Amino acid sequence: MSSKISAGSGAQTPDDSSQVTLGDRAEEAGGSAAILSTLHELRRNDTGLVRGMRTLLQVNQPEGVDCPGCAWPESAGERSEIEFCENGAKAVSWETTRRRIDADFFARHSVAELAAGSDYQLGQLGRLTEPLYLPPGGTHYQPIAWDAAYRLIADELGSLSSPHEAAFYTSGRTSNEAAFLFQLLVRQLGTNNLPDCANLCHESSGVALKETVGVGKGTVQLDDFEQADAIFILGQNPGTNHPRMMSVLQKAAQRGCQIVAVNPLPEAALLRFAHPQSPLELLGGGTAITSLFLPVRIDGDAALLKGIMKELLDEERKRPGQVFDWEFIREHTRGVDELLRDLDAVTWDEVVTGSGLTRAQVRAAAAVWLNSRRIIACWAMGLTQHKAAVATIQQVVNLLLLGGHIGRPGAGLCPVRGHSNVQGDRTMGITPKIDDGFRQRLSQHFGFVAPSQPGLDTVGTIEALQAGRLRLLFSLGGNFLSATPDTEVTAAALRRCQLTVHVSTKLHRGHLGFGLSSLILPCLGRTERDVQASGPQFVTVENSMSVVHRSQGQLTPASPQLRSEVAIVCELAEAVLGPRSRVPWLTFRDNYDLIRDAIAATIPGFDHFNERVRGGDGFVLPNSARERSFVTSSERAQFTVAPLPQHPLLPGQLLMMTIRTHDQFNTTIYGLDDRYRGVYGGRRVILMNEADLHSRGLSPKQLVDLTSHFDGQTRTAERFVVVPYDIPLGCTATYFPETNVLVPLGSRADKSRTPTSKSVVITVQPSPTQ
């Protein structure tokens, strides 16, 4: 199979390669540039300076609004008046724009015309203001009443021969309350087809941690970073993806904590950071963050981790009982002997070749471990989106278990989640694999029999759409088309779907003709006031460190026709299920406290939910691994053994990973600049090692076509600008979603089934026309 994707295909954003310019890369993150960027965003999005700043001052405050961006936690107790970062300001200003698109707009602009715009241009059009319907064969969206939209969905669901012919996708922006009710509706329909965005990112983390420490979440709290002697950051770029993490890392670096950054790219934030709220730092150049930077080759992390442990084992044999925490290992773990045999078996040639590092670099990382009593390991998609992702994350666990660095203050595991409530959605039951205990509690509390048959994850949903087994796809937020792999395959699969439904705040590419018919249901933004029959409401979210807290917007809604996600789910459930359901859907819609009471009755750790969440900082969910109670089959933490990942490249082939720019959050494109990497005006670029560039006879800024190779299949994306960059030999980086088209649907992580967006084999050829 082969596919060639060119500008204007509809599923892909148009070619902007002619707009790309290259400039100086930032030498540090944050600083005055972050302040200027924030002000620029308020102006670019027509938010209004006073209105925008007033809203930003409410972000991440105890009774304010949770940032709709990343899931990094806030400090407990007293907080700064400014608790937002540059990219949080972009997210808020993007949502709070005063621009509107209504029925008149859609009457003037066809779906085909809108599809010719870029993702950035679509996002800049403004907020959706009323429900919209694109009928079969239609060229323009047209307004539809809420009740009529619900009836249309109910009729389609009622016509299915099985509830398994529908799938229900969830974005990480969705609140706990909306997610809980959504999964309840879906399970009352009779299916567990609950794919979500976690399937695309940290699913590998959840699987790896559940198997090894018994909890699919991290084990640290924010105050642990104040006590850590060393922090290992693997496959993560916090300066762009979790910028508020930078102030925590800065404080750690300033007190002498050793920070080891493991990443193919030398990201600006990992090297130096100037806090935008510090006048002295704005003048003085900020703080050096990284003590040791290791430019590992793509997917070379497992080789590095084994190399570090091999060095530690050598040292343990020189000083028996003085390196490993044998008391912890004997009392709390299982499988150490198998691990040590595996470390003896791996050769240094394998470590050096696999990691792309020298033995001296590996030894330097081991020295940091040896000199540290408390170690935190952080990671993100640089580890989770490879075929051997689960096994690699389990090597991180191995590294910490050897020193007893789990369940100790200042130490532990820290998978840094992306979207603000992606972890909370999973806690609320958004998963195609329902836990037996939760299934029984849900069934008993609401008087029905919840299904036990596993449902479809995100990749499974695309495959089912391809095969014609799904007739309806309902997306509670998110941009399913642009977030998923193999864009043209996914687009073709969606076009077979009888009805696609999108709960959204703004227009995106997934709305534009991908389905035989489509509905757009416009919802409140997180910054907007949510008033129901019982009065003003708030929702809750769970951050990366299992802290549950409230969020309450204060802005006037963009349109009186907008409804909250909770209201949409409840009204849809009432229309679809009617008297068949004993759930008081409309009562839940009118008073969110009652939803939280139901959550407390069915999900462990949420007792006295309403009372505790009204305390300013919220509350922390139980975490047995943090208490050194490991809920695994052996009731111990599990050391694991796995072979090193292999990427045998043929002559001329390269390994590509997809990354974000500093001007985007997930599939939301805020702007066209990536100032940290010196790329401006466009997104169709490929970062290449200069030696790889020259060996192929390429020149900087030359236009090239990219072809991916998997299982005898090829996929081509055209016209990308070559950018010489500090990246390991044989490795390249491109922005998503532009190169999601190159990520094969069939290439996925073992066990977690996460698409391998960080391990794509490609070749590069000059574009036919210059």
Side-chain angles (χ1 to χ4, degrees):
M1 185 194 83
S2 65
S3 61
K4 179 169 283 192
I5 311 309
S6 57
S9 66
Q12 287 287 293
T13 192
D15 177 15
D16 66 1
S17 58
S18 63
Q19 306 301 313
V20 173
T21 62
L22 305 182
D24 294 334
R25 302 173 201 165
E27 296 182 356
E28 65 181 18
S32 59
I35 298 173
L36 293 174
S37 174
T38 297
L39 297 174
H40 173 66
E41 289 302 313
L42 297 177
R43 183 173 63 255
R44 172 161 63 184
N45 287 297
D46 190 21
T47 301
L49 183 60
V50 174
R51 176 174 172 270
M53 288 305 301
R54 185 183 297 122
T55 304
L56 287 173
L57 291 174
Q58 299 169 7
V59 171
N60 297 325
Q61 298 298 336
E63 296 187 5
V65 58
D66 185 66
C67 179
C70 80
W72 188 254
E74 295 77 44
S75 301
E78 187 174 350
R79 299 182 192 175
S80 163
E81 290 184 359
I82 299 177
E83 284 288 342
F84 61 87
C85 67
E86 175 191 352
N87 279 3
K90 292 175 183 177
V92 169
S93 64
W94 187 85
E95 177 178 290
T96 59
T97 178
R98 293 179 293 194
R99 302 185 192 114
R100 305 287 182 261
I101 48 176
D102 56 14
D104 289 341
F105 171 88
F106 287 97
R108 296 193 308 270
H109 301 284
S110 70
V111 166
E113 180 185 349
L114 292 168
S118 69
D119 294 340
Y120 167 68
Q121 289 167 332
L122 293 175
Q124 288 295 304
L125 292 174
R127 290 288 299 277
L128 296 160
T129 59
E130 57 193 307
L132 298 161
Y133 178 49
L134 183 67
T139 59
H140 291 68
Y141 270 100
Q142 56 195 42
I144 184 172
W146 277 102
D147 286 348
Y150 293 144
R151 283 197 303 272
L152 196 154
I153 300 169
D155 289 347
E156 187 63 39
L157 287 169
S159 72
L160 302 180
S161 60
S162 163
H164 304 307
E165 292 180 344
F168 301 83
Y169 179 78
T170 309
S171 156
R173 195 202 73 129
T174 304
S175 68
N176 287 330
E177 291 76 9
F180 179 78
L181 294 179
F182 193 52
Q183 62 83 29
L184 178 59
L185 163 61
V186 173
R187 291 187 165 112
Q188 287 215 326
L189 287 171
T191 185
N192 284 313
N193 286 349
L194 283 160
D196 75 326
C197 60
N199 301 151
L200 303 172
C201 55
H202 269 289
E203 194 71 42
S204 299
S205 298
V207 172
L209 297 180
K210 187 71 175 176
E211 288 183 352
T212 52
V213 298
V215 177
K217 302 179 181 181
T219 66
V220 299
Q221 290 295 301
L222 202 56
D223 57 6
D224 287 315
F225 285 81
E226 299 173 3
Q227 304 174 60
D229 300 316
I231 302 169
F232 283 70
I233 302 173
L234 302 102
Q236 184 196 3
N237 176 18
T240 287
N241 301 334
H242 313 91
R244 286 190 301 125
M245 183 180 179
M246 292 310 306
S247 60
V248 174
L249 295 178
Q250 183 185 48
K251 289 177 182 177
Q254 288 173 340
R255 64 174 176 78
C257 177
Q258 298 294 293
I259 298 177
V260 178
V262 180
N263 198 58
L265 297 175
E267 305 289 14
L270 291 173
L271 303 179
R272 198 165 195 87
F273 175 70
H275 202 304
Q277 295 181 42
S278 171
L280 289 178
E281 290 181 28
L282 295 180
L283 297 173
T287 303
I289 299 297
T290 299
S291 312
L292 176 64
F293 171 59
L294 300 174
V296 69
R297 73 184 304 273
I298 291 174
D299 202 21
D301 307 88
L304 166 64
L305 291 162
K306 282 197 178 186
I308 294 172
M309 290 186 285
K310 193 172 178 67
E311 285 283 359
L312 298 178
L313 179 57
D314 286 348
E315 192 65 24
E316 169 65 29
R317 286 168 173 159
K318 294 174 186 174
R319 299 185 287 128
Q322 299 181 53
V323 176
F324 295 161
D325 187 339
W326 286 107
E327 181 180 352
F328 171 84
I329 292 170
R330 284 191 291 265
E331 185 174 346
H332 295 291
T333 74
R334 182 177 179 178
V336 68
D337 291 337
E338 292 86 345
L339 174 67
L340 300 187
R341 285 195 292 271
D342 182 64
L343 295 178
D344 281 332
V346 71
T347 69
W348 278 109
D349 281 347
E350 291 174 316
V351 169
V352 170
T353 301
S355 67
L357 302 171
T358 66
R359 184 170 178 180
Q361 289 173 305
V362 177
R363 187 178 292 118
V368 172
W369 190 100
L370 287 166
N371 292 321
S372 303
R373 288 184 51 80
R374 300 176 179 87
I375 297 174
I376 292 173
C378 304
W379 69 91
M381 266 67 82
L383 261 60
T384 66
Q385 293 178 329
H386 302 282
K387 189 176 189 304
V390 170
T392 296
I393 294 165
Q394 290 177 339
Q395 297 298 336
V396 177
V397 177
N398 287 342
L399 181 65
L400 265 61
L401 289 177
L402 287 174
H405 295 296
I406 298 177
R408 170 188 295 168
L413 300 160
C414 184
V416 185
R417 308 284 178 173
H419 220 153
S420 55
N421 198 42
V422 63
Q423 184 163 302
D425 289 349
R426 182 57 57 89
T427 302
M428 291 297 106
I430 299 293
T431 174
K433 297 179 181 179
I434 188 170
D435 171 82
D436 280 342
F438 179 55
R439 187 176 70 85
Q440 292 171 11
R441 290 189 299 273
L442 204 65
S443 300
Q444 182 176 4
H445 188 79
F446 291 107
F448 78 110
V449 179
S452 58
Q453 177 182 336
L456 298 172
D457 60 11
T458 299
V459 167
T461 295
I462 299 170
E463 292 173 330
L465 286 165
Q466 269 187 302
R469 298 198 306 271
L470 284 181
R471 291 181 55 190
L472 186 148
L473 176 64
F474 190 112
S475 296
L476 188 59
N479 181 347
F480 187 89
L481 172 67
S482 296
T484 48
D486 221 340
T487 309
E488 284 298 306
V489 169
T490 300
L494 284 168
R495 289 189 179 104
R496 302 190 65 185
C497 192
Q498 187 66 36
L499 176 64
T500 58
V501 184
H502 310 266
V503 177
S504 305
T505 58
K506 280 190 168 185
L507 193 66
H508 61 63
R509 191 162 301 280
H511 297 137
L512 303 179
F514 300 100
L516 296 176
S517 59
S518 297
L519 276 170
I520 302 176
L521 305 181
C523 66
L524 294 174
R526 193 175 285 178
T527 56
E528 291 171 322
R529 194 160 50 246
D530 183 355
V531 180
Q532 303 298 335
S534 65
Q537 306 296 315
F538 67 85
V539 295
T540 62
V541 296
E542 177 188 344
N543 64 35
S544 265
M545 295 178 189
S546 302
V547 179
V548 177
H549 60 97
R550 61 186 285 170
S551 175
Q552 188 166 15
Q554 296 297 332
L555 289 180
T556 300
S559 164
Q561 290 207 57
L562 301 186
R563 300 195 178 180
S564 71
E565 289 181 320
V566 167
I568 292 170
V569 173
C570 289
E571 291 165 2
L572 175 62
E574 187 70 18
V576 172
L577 298 171
R580 290 184 291 154
S581 175
R582 290 170 46 187
V583 177
W585 294 105
L586 299 185
T587 304
F588 280 159
R589 174 198 64 184
D590 294 342
N591 187 340
Y592 296 2
D593 277 355
L594 301 179
I595 306 169
R596 287 185 281 273
D597 287 341
I599 292 171
T602 54
I603 300 180
F606 284 87
D607 48 300
H608 307 293
F609 190 177
N610 276 303
E611 177 184 346
R612 290 196 292 161
V613 83
R614 282 178 164 85
D617 295 322
F619 59 93
V620 182
L621 292 173
N623 187 305
S624 57
R626 185 173 170 83
E627 305 302 321
R628 292 190 167 181
S629 174
F630 300 106
V631 188
T632 64
S633 57
S634 66
E635 298 185 348
R636 291 169 176 254
Q638 184 68 47
F639 285 102
T640 54
V641 172
L644 291 177
Q646 301 294 322
H647 293 282
L649 299 177
L650 298 176
Q653 291 183 338
L654 301 162
L655 205 56
M656 182 194 84
M657 63 178 184
T658 65
I659 58 176
R660 292 184 196 170
T661 77
H662 194 60
D663 245 0
Q664 76 178 95
F665 182 77
N666 294 341
T667 59
T668 300
I669 311 302
Y670 300 130
L672 300 176
D673 297 336
D674 190 359
R675 74 170 189 275
Y676 286 170
R677 301 189 183 105
V679 178
Y680 299 91
R683 298 176 47 82
R684 295 179 80 83
V685 301
I686 177 169
L687 310 185
M688 295 182 66
N689 182 288
E690 198 157 1
D692 285 326
L693 186 153
H694 292 312
S695 68
R696 287 158 177 78
L698 301 175
S699 304
K701 301 178 68 173
Q702 185 173 350
L703 289 178
V704 295
D705 294 347
L706 314 180
T707 299
S708 67
H709 303 264
F710 174 76
D711 197 22
Q713 306 166 1
T714 61
R715 295 157 175 83
T716 298
E718 299 174 331
R719 297 178 63 81
F720 282 73
V721 177
V722 171
V723 179
Y725 213 84
D726 300 326
I727 189 169
L729 197 66
C731 299
T732 66
T734 57
Y735 299 140
F736 76 86
E738 283 76 8
T739 51
N740 283 0
V741 66
L742 299 175
V743 182
L745 184 64
S747 181
R748 60 195 69 155
D750 298 331
K751 297 184 179 179
S752 72
R753 291 170 50 87
T754 297
T756 60
S757 300
K758 295 287 192 290
S759 290
V760 182
V761 176
I762 67 167
T763 51
V764 178
Q765 293 87 23
S767 298
T769 58
Q770 295 289 309

